[in-house]
């Protein structure tokens, strides 16, 4: 079967034979004996349909040079361009250009094949049926000699891309002037924070790779260029693995920064020279040398919801987040693990199914989920038989987060080391403070009845020591027992209250002898409570356990013949502690004032509507006032 272009060529040849050509042109005969096409009087093209030996080169006919390429410029400046072309001829037909068959040509060179590329072509390959091929070459960091190669292929029957083996090749040598050094720039510092040497912190490495890039005036990378390195701050014994390096094909040179024995902020200065000897320099981004260890006063825990409706419902979920920073307030490194424990319910990371989470993405924090289950704390006002538990608040639940770190000191001479006589704090072992009184409680046998984390693995609870617990100590302080082996558990705890779902009581408190006193709604006469035309009271919302109602519970207040002012809306997201004399210890308190509307007659009232956060209960109350 003939290819489309071959068929076209045959028809053209037949037409030209019948008409005797154009403008007196002659008919040429293909070297294989088939009828050829017109050469316009020059004999430079062939339309033969069976081409056995196509060739790449320059020129045609007797002037054809096989395997060579022609360039407009062969001696290029750095970053220069040139146009390169070749002809495709039939070597069996007097080296005439082939216009009867399409061919694919692929372009490559030594520099274009580098990684990254130091030269580019205007196209990677092309398909032509004109017997000519041309491409533009651009040097992008290439220097000295570059060998350009054209490779010839047949095309598929469907007119698609190249197919089969290489039919022929042609080459050309270009000479490229060395690039002019234009700039040196900082590339990367990986990582940007490293650990003080001598600290067993697996989350923070002790080495950082600092990379710079040298570019020419066209912003292309330059290889083979010497770059010199020096530290801007060598405090604590920070060192570099290399004082100089040679750029690679990407124009990059690097050195390794090694941490010292104390905290510091440093950077690396990189220097190179231009072609005329001018010195140019740049600096890396700052690299922090730190402990990377959480410090007690920079560790905290928080909850998304403090009053979930979970006292009477299992599997109610609350997100718990722990966050930490080191002594300088930098986020703890990725890989730092936080552990969690809870007085009641269960807590853990949904992904890993464990009671811990791991810091990632530079956040310095991570989260777990607490879920309700089990016998609730002080359930129905009772302690579980025989357990000697101490929580005296129904539904209150303590959650603790902890991790390894250091206790903290005041650095009075800015040497980042604990020195003798500097203020410091020390901490006992972590415990779950069920009654939140700040001390570990003991049972009838004198041993703890609140869970603790035995970091020393000795089976007994350890109080705070008299020495500084950390890793950054002067030798004099170490000689006095400070910075003992191992780390301390930094910790934080919070309480949530497991409120009753769909449970709301509305209580009212009025002033009696300057003390807030509960008054039942049926015993209130709002008119009698007016002082100088204004009344005030508290509406307190509680659940059936006397705690703040579940999160999302809301109160709306409206008056009839009264102007009503004050709080309304959702109950606070809190455990509901009320520090107002005369009011209950826990709940959601709304301070409300009111005054009669002018000229109102008959009965007056203020109405209250409370809707539970779970949506299953609406509770209403009303206070009346009667105009005499």
């Amino acid at each position: 079967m003939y290819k489309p272009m071959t068929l076209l060529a045959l028809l053209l040849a037949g037409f030209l034979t019948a008409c005797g050509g154009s403008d007196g042109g002659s008919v040429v005969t293909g070297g294989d004996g088939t009828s050829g096409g017109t050469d316009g009087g020059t004999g430079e093209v062939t339309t033969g349909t069976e081409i056995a030996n196509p060739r790449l080169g320059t020129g045609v006919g007797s002037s054809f040079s096989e395997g060579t390429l022609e360039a407009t410029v062969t001696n290029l400046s750095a970053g220069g361009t040139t146009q390169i072309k070749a002809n495709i001829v039939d070597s069996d037909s007097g080296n005439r250009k082939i216009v009867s068959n399409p061919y694919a040509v692929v372009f490559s060179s030594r520099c274009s094949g580098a990684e990254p590329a130091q030269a580019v072509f205007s196209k990677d390959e092309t398909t032509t049926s004109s017997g000519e091929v041309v491409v533009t070459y651009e040097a992008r960091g290439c220097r000295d000699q570059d060998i350009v190669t054209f490779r010839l292929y047949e095309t598929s029957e469907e007119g698609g891309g190249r197919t089969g083996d290489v039919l022929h090749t042609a080459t050309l040598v270009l000479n490229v002037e060395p690039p002019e050094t234009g700039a040196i720039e900082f590339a990367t510092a990986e990582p940007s924070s490293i650990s003080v040497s001598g600290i067993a912190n697996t989350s923070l490495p002790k080495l950082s790779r600092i990379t710079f890039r040298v570019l020419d005036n066209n912003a292309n990378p330059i290889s083979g260029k010497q770059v010199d390195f020096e530290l801007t701050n060598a405090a604590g014994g920070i060192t570099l693995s290399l004082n100089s390096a040679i750029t690679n094909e990407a124009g990059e040179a690097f050195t390794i920064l090694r941490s010292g024995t104390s905290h510091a902020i440093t950077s690396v200065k990189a220097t190179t020279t231009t072609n005329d000897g001018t010195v140019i320099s740049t600096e890396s981004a700052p690299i922090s040398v730190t402990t990377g260890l959480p410090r007690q006063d920079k560790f905290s825990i928080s909850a998304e919801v403090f009053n979930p409706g979970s006292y009477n419902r299992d599997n109610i979920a609350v997100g718990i987040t722990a966050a930490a920073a080191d002594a300088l307030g930098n986020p703890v490194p990725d890989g730092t693990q936080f552990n969690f424990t809870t007085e009641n319910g269960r807590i853990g990371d949904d992904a890993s199914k464990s009671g811990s989470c791991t810091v990632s993405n530079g956040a310095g924090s991570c989260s777990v989920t607490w879920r309700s289950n089990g016998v609730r704390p002080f359930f129905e006002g009772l302690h579980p038989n025989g357990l000697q538990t101490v929580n005296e608040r129904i539904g209150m639940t303590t959650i603790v987060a902890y991790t390894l770190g250091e206790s903290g000191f005041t650095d009075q001479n800015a040497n980042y080391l604990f020195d003798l006589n500097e203020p410091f704090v020390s901490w006992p072992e972590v415990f779950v403070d069920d009654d939140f009184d700040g001390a570990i409680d003991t049972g009838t046998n004198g041993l703890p009845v609140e869970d603790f984390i035995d970091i020393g693995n000795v089976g007994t609870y350890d109080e705070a020591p008299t020495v500084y617990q950390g890793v950054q100590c002067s030798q004099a302080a170490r000689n006095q027992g400070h910075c003992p082996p191992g780390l301390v558990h930094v910790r934080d705890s919070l309480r949530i209250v497991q409120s009753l779902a769909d449970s709301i009581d509305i209580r009212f408190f009025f002033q009696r002898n300057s003390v807030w006193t509960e008054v039942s709604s049926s015993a209130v006469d709002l008119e009698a409570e007016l002082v100088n035309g204004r009344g005030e009271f508290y509406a307190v919302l509680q659940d059936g356990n006397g705690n703040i109602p579940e999160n999302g519970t809301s109160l709306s207040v409206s008056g009839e013949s009264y102007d009503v002012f004050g709080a309304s809306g959702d109950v606070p997201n809190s455990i509901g502690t009320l520090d107002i004399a005369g009011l209950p210890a826990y709940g959601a308190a709304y301070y409300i004032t009111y005054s009669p509307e002018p000229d109102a007659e008959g009965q007056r009232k203020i109405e209250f509507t409370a809707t539970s956060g779970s949506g299953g209960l609406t509770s209403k109350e009303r206070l009346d006032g009667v105009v005499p």
Side-chain angles (χ1 to χ4, degrees):
M1 176 179 293
Y2 292 123
K3 297 181 182 180
M5 289 300 299
T6 304
L7 181 58
L8 176 62
L10 288 172
L11 291 174
L12 178 62
F15 174 75
L16 291 174
T17 301
C19 296
S22 172
D23 295 330
S26 61
V27 176
V28 298
T29 301
D32 58 357
T34 63
S35 178
T38 181
D39 63 359
T42 64
E44 293 181 352
V45 301
T46 179
T47 57
T49 58
E50 298 294 333
I51 308 297
N53 294 297
R55 292 291 182 264
L56 281 169
T58 55
V60 292
S62 61
S63 63
F64 178 72
S65 177
E66 182 177 327
T68 62
L69 302 173
E70 180 181 352
T72 54
V73 178
T74 57
N75 294 315
L76 299 179
S77 61
T81 62
T82 186
Q83 195 174 73
I84 307 172
K85 60 183 179 179
N87 293 329
I88 306 170
V89 304
D90 183 355
S91 63
D92 296 329
S93 182
N95 293 325
R96 294 179 172 89
K97 287 184 186 178
I98 302 171
V99 298
S100 53
N101 286 354
Y103 289 96
V105 180
V106 176
F107 313 109
S108 64
S109 78
R110 177 184 63 83
C111 288
S112 70
E115 184 59 43
Q118 296 179 333
V120 296
F121 294 94
S122 56
K123 47 195 170 185
D124 294 328
E125 63 179 271
T126 190
T127 299
T128 179
S129 58
S130 67
E132 297 179 355
V133 62
V134 63
V135 71
T136 299
Y137 168 98
E138 179 184 356
R140 291 187 179 179
C142 190
R143 60 192 300 170
D144 303 326
Q145 285 192 342
D146 192 13
I147 301 174
V148 176
T149 301
F150 285 16
R151 290 178 174 84
L152 184 68
Y153 294 86
E154 287 186 342
T155 59
S156 64
E157 289 287 341
E158 294 75 17
R162 55 187 161 104
T163 184
D165 297 330
V166 177
L167 300 175
H168 195 237
T169 61
T171 59
L172 171 72
V173 175
L174 297 176
N175 297 302
V176 185
E177 291 294 319
E180 293 282 342
T181 301
I184 182 171
E185 63 181 18
F186 166 66
T188 59
E190 297 177 343
S192 58
S193 293
I194 57 176
S195 171
V196 171
S197 63
I199 295 179
N201 186 346
T202 58
S203 300
L204 202 61
K206 297 174 178 60
L207 304 174
S208 178
R209 179 184 174 119
I210 316 299
T211 303
F212 295 87
R213 187 180 297 114
V214 179
L215 304 174
D216 65 18
N217 288 327
N218 297 307
N220 297 315
I222 299 178
S223 62
K225 193 72 177 178
Q226 178 171 318
V227 177
D228 299 320
F229 308 112
E230 62 179 302
L231 288 165
T232 60
N233 178 18
I238 301 171
T239 59
L240 295 174
S241 64
L242 296 172
N243 293 323
S244 65
I246 304 299
T247 59
N248 59 19
E249 290 183 339
E252 293 178 345
F254 71 89
T255 186
I256 303 296
L257 186 148
R258 295 184 288 235
S259 64
T261 57
S262 66
H263 172 85
I265 300 293
T266 190
S267 60
V268 176
K269 181 180 179 181
T271 301
T272 191
T273 56
T274 63
N275 293 40
D276 63 4
T278 302
V279 175
I280 54 176
S281 302
T282 191
E283 286 187 12
S284 70
I287 298 97
S288 175
V289 182
T290 184
T291 64
L293 294 173
R295 186 165 128 160
Q296 176 58 51
D297 58 353
K298 300 181 187 298
F299 185 80
S300 61
I301 181 177
S302 62
E304 289 180 351
V305 176
F306 285 88
N307 49 332
S310 59
Y311 186 83
N312 52 340
R313 292 185 179 177
D314 283 345
N315 293 318
I316 300 300
V318 175
I320 305 294
T321 298
D326 64 16
L328 293 178
N330 304 130
V332 294
D334 290 354
T336 301
Q337 182 171 291
F338 300 148
N339 300 306
F340 298 83
T341 185
T342 179
E343 174 187 357
N344 182 249
R346 63 191 191 276
I347 192 167
D349 177 42
D350 287 343
S352 65
K353 308 299 182 184
S354 68
S356 63
C357 64
T358 302
V359 174
S360 62
N361 300 319
S365 63
C366 61
S367 300
V368 294
T369 302
W370 175 92
R371 287 183 172 86
S372 58
N373 72 269
V375 178
R376 306 310 192 256
F378 205 42
F379 181 69
E380 296 182 350
L382 299 172
H383 293 295
N385 291 334
L387 296 183
Q388 299 185 30
T389 54
V390 295
N391 190 341
E392 297 292 343
R393 186 68 203 177
I394 190 169
M396 284 292 178
T397 304
T398 300
I399 299 172
V400 179
Y402 63 96
T403 189
L404 289 172
E406 51 189 355
S407 59
F409 69 96
T410 300
D411 189 9
Q412 295 181 310
N413 58 2
N415 68 348
Y416 304 108
L417 297 174
F418 171 74
D419 295 298
L420 291 176
N421 301 319
E422 287 184 327
F424 70 93
V425 292
S426 59
W427 292 85
E429 289 183 316
V430 176
F431 69 97
V432 182
D433 194 0
D434 295 341
D435 56 0
F436 235 62
D437 65 352
I440 192 165
D441 291 286
T442 57
T444 55
N445 61 358
L447 297 178
V449 292
E450 292 177 310
D451 292 338
F452 67 95
I453 309 302
D454 187 14
I455 192 173
N457 197 29
V458 295
T460 58
Y461 179 74
D462 293 333
E463 298 289 349
T466 59
V467 295
Y468 172 65
Q469 302 157 296
V471 294
Q472 294 288 89
C473 278
S474 66
Q475 190 57 53
R478 291 183 185 277
N479 293 340
Q480 296 297 316
H482 296 283
C483 289
L487 297 170
V488 65
H489 275 146
V490 298
R491 78 295 303 268
D492 194 21
S493 60
L494 56 78
R495 296 184 102 182
I496 63 172
V497 58
Q498 299 191 56
S499 302
L500 277 164
D502 291 327
S503 175
I504 307 171
D505 291 333
I506 306 176
R507 302 170 65 184
F508 300 100
F509 294 80
F510 288 82
Q511 287 278 0
R512 297 290 185 266
N513 299 319
S514 300
V515 176
W516 293 109
T517 304
E518 184 173 12
V519 182
S520 68
S521 59
S522 61
V524 172
D525 179 0
L526 292 174
E527 291 295 308
E529 301 293 336
L530 294 172
V531 177
N532 297 323
R534 177 182 178 275
E536 63 177 353
F537 62 93
Y538 274 101
V540 176
L541 269 57
Q542 293 181 307
D543 69 3
N545 288 330
N547 289 318
I548 188 172
E550 63 179 313
N551 187 262
T553 299
S554 63
L555 175 70
S556 63
V557 183
S558 63
E560 182 176 321
S561 298
Y562 285 117
D563 292 325
V564 181
F565 309 94
S568 62
D570 289 350
V571 301
N573 180 15
S574 72
I575 63 172
T577 303
L578 298 179
D579 293 321
I580 303 172
L583 266 57
Y586 295 93
Y590 296 82
Y591 177 69
I592 298 169
T593 63
Y594 66 97
S595 58
E597 293 179 351
D599 303 323
E601 297 180 357
Q603 188 177 40
R604 298 172 175 177
K605 62 183 177 181
I606 300 176
E607 293 182 316
F608 304 84
T609 302
T611 303
S612 66
S614 297
L617 176 69
T618 298
S619 180
K620 295 186 177 182
E621 283 284 358
R622 187 180 82 185
L623 299 178
D624 293 318
V626 180
V627 178

